[in-house]
């Protein structure tokens, strides 16, 4: 399957947002610029624009979420769309309805966009392949495959703090093997042209494909942190591990937990990021997570504007303009 074709319209515009792979730098930069223009809306008295008025967006979550689901809902409401939140644990999926039948039923209600989180890699692609022509699909995280909107809000946060991407050295630390966020971040950082991407983890938590993606691998945290501009921490994703990947959490924290002491090896103006949820005392010390170099809560705040940008770009062919709908 050509992932690029399914995500893009004939004119190269965004239709679905499933993965960063296959999207070019101009499109990613356009999303970041659009998100920048949406940030001011959150500071207005009336935090709404009418861009998606009359459209219906469905949040379809088959996995737990705090940040992603709520910021998608907030983003849709700020674009004036109607929003349906479907908790799969109390939907007809529990009675044996297939994913495709769930989609077909919601399409029959004239919904325009589905935001999907699913434990299986490829679920969002599968839905996009079967969606009606007027429907857009946004991947809110599928298995260990991709979490592209998280990667975009992370790129937005990096750009806000560091400006240009090309001089940056970015380290991703922790359970890269099971992380959909890390895969999407690596594609985004690489497309946006960062100087160096480092993957820092025990050997058992580095995926085989990391080197082919142009990532420099470190199995020693102190060595890997030297002179980095950005550190992205990841939690241990036990829900996707098969068998034990680590001797113990205690040993992991001793070797790979981010502490103030280890962080002193990075650039003085380093920023600390984490997609959340954070596990204090497992991958990160509280003093670092809550310290002056942490931008973890800024990432969450940026999620709304970035998701507004992605949703409005994917629906641009159906956006209401004065006098009717745009082409
Ligand atoms: N970063 C992230 O995906 O968090 P949630 O699981 O809370 O949505």
């Amino acid at each position: 399957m050509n992932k690029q074709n399914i995500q893009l319209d004939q004119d190269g515009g965004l239709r679905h947002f499933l993965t960063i792979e296959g999207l070019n730098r101009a499109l990613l930069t356009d999303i970041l610029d659009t998100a920048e223009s949406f940030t001011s809306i959150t500071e207005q008295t009336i935090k709404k624009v009418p861009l998606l008025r009359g459209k219906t967006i469905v949040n379809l979550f088959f996995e737990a979420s705090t940040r992603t689901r709520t910021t998608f809902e907030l983003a849709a409401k700020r674009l004036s769309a109607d929003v349906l939140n479907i908790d799969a644990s109390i939907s007809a999926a529990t009675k044996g309805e297939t994913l495709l039948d769930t989609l077909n039923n919601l399409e029959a209600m004239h919904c325009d966009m589905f935001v999907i989180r699913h434990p299986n890699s490829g679920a969002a692609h599968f839905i996009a392949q079967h969606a009606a022509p007027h429907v857009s699909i946004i991947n809110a995280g599928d298995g260990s495959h991709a979490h592209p909107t998280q990667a975009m809000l992370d790129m937005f946060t990096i750009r806000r703090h560091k400006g240009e991407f090309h001089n940056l050295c970015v380290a991703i630390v922790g359970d890269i093997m099971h992380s959909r966020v890390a895969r999407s971040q690596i594609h985004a950082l690489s497309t946006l042209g960062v100087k160096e991407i480092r993957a820092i983890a025990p050997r058992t938590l580095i995926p085989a494909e990391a080197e082919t993606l142009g990532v420099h691998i470190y199995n020693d945290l102190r060595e890997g942190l030297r002179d980095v501009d950005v550190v992205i921490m990841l939690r241990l994703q036990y829900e996707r591990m098969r068998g034990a990947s680590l001797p113990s959490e205690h040993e992991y924290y001793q070797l790979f937990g981010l502490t103030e002491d280890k962080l002193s090896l990075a650039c003085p103006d380093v920023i600390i990021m984490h997609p959340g949820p954070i596990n204090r005392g497992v991958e990160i010390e509280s003093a670092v997570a809550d310290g002056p170099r942490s931008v973890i809560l800024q990432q969450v705040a940026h999620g709304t504007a970035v998701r507004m940008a992605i949703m409005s770009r994917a629906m641009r062919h159906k956006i209401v303009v004065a006098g009717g709908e745009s082409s």
Side-chain angles (χ1 to χ4, degrees):
M1 177 178 58
N2 185 328
K3 290 174 184 170
Q4 183 173 2
N5 285 348
I6 196 170
Q7 294 198 93
L8 301 178
D9 281 335
Q10 278 177 338
D11 62 3
L14 202 61
R15 178 178 165 210
H16 304 298
F17 196 66
L18 309 172
T19 173
I20 303 289
E21 278 176 278
L23 303 182
N24 63 32
R25 189 182 299 187
L27 199 148
L28 299 191
T29 304
D30 177 58
I31 290 170
L32 298 179
D33 293 344
T34 307
E36 199 66 62
S37 73
F38 281 136
T39 52
S40 62
I41 292 167
T42 57
E43 286 144 25
Q44 293 171 7
T45 316
I46 297 170
K47 299 179 177 60
K48 267 187 192 292
V49 286
L51 273 176
L52 297 187
R53 193 172 54 200
K55 302 299 172 204
T56 305
I57 296 176
V58 182
N59 279 328
L60 192 51
F61 277 58
F62 292 85
E63 231 190 33
S65 168
T66 299
R67 286 145 286 267
T68 310
R69 203 202 59 71
T70 46
T71 52
F72 263 116
E73 180 175 353
L74 213 47
K77 287 179 172 169
R78 288 190 176 158
L79 291 167
S80 305
D82 297 316
V83 187
L84 302 176
N85 290 307
I86 298 188
D87 176 354
S89 68
I90 51 169
S91 79
T94 60
K95 300 176 187 169
E97 184 172 78
T98 67
L99 188 53
L100 211 46
D101 282 330
T102 302
L103 171 79
N104 291 338
N105 278 273
L106 292 166
E107 276 185 354
M109 300 171 206
H110 301 286
C111 297
D112 300 286
M113 173 178 276
F114 295 90
V115 177
I116 296 173
R117 170 168 289 193
H118 201 281
N120 295 345
S121 297
H125 268 102
F126 175 75
I127 290 289
Q129 282 177 301
H130 293 88
H134 69 281
V135 167
S136 291
I137 305 296
I138 309 289
N139 184 3
D142 64 325
S144 56
H145 170 240
H147 195 347
T149 63
Q150 175 70 43
M152 288 309 295
L153 73 88
D154 295 336
M155 298 307 112
F156 185 86
T157 305
I158 292 172
R159 194 175 79 161
R160 274 253 165 136
H161 282 270
K162 301 292 181 186
E164 297 292 321
F165 287 96
H166 64 272
N167 272 329
L168 296 180
C169 177
V170 180
I172 304 175
V173 184
D175 184 2
I176 297 162
M177 172 77 94
H178 303 98
S179 175
R180 55 195 176 206
V181 175
R183 281 178 178 76
S184 291
Q185 287 167 337
I186 290 167
H187 286 296
L189 289 165
S190 160
T191 303
L192 290 167
V194 297
K195 188 175 69 184
E196 186 179 352
I197 306 169
R198 297 181 186 173
I200 310 174
R203 282 178 218 287
T204 49
L205 295 181
I206 296 269
E209 77 264 26
E211 257 167 330
T212 63
L213 296 172
V215 173
H216 295 122
I217 293 169
Y218 292 79
N219 302 123
D220 181 293
L221 180 57
R222 289 179 185 276
E223 214 180 294
L225 286 177
R226 214 168 283 282
D227 302 325
V228 297
D229 302 289
V230 177
V231 179
I232 303 173
M233 299 304 297
L234 301 171
R235 73 183 171 89
L236 295 171
Q237 289 140 87
Y238 289 114
E239 72 274 25
R240 287 191 274 276
M241 287 184 193
R242 287 197 196 94
S245 299
L246 298 165
S248 74
E249 252 181 29
H250 176 73
E251 187 176 328
Y252 180 78
Y253 184 64
Q254 296 306 312
L255 295 174
F256 291 94
L258 189 63
T259 57
E260 289 282 7
D261 170 48
K262 291 173 191 150
L263 197 53
S264 63
L265 294 160
C267 288
D269 62 347
V270 65
I271 57 169
I272 312 305
M273 302 175 67
H274 194 310
I278 64 171
N279 289 154
R280 295 168 187 268
V282 179
E283 75 272 4
I284 192 164
E285 181 179 59
S286 279
V288 176
D290 304 328
R293 289 174 289 194
S294 168
V295 298
I296 295 170
L297 292 180
Q298 290 175 38
Q299 289 171 260
V300 178
H302 295 154
T304 306
V306 170
R307 289 177 170 124
M308 286 170 78
I310 291 164
M311 287 195 283
S312 60
R313 277 282 169 255
M315 299 274 273
R316 84 198 190 296
H317 53 294
K318 296 195 297 176
I319 281 176
V320 178
V321 293
E325 296 206 346
S326 66
S327 59

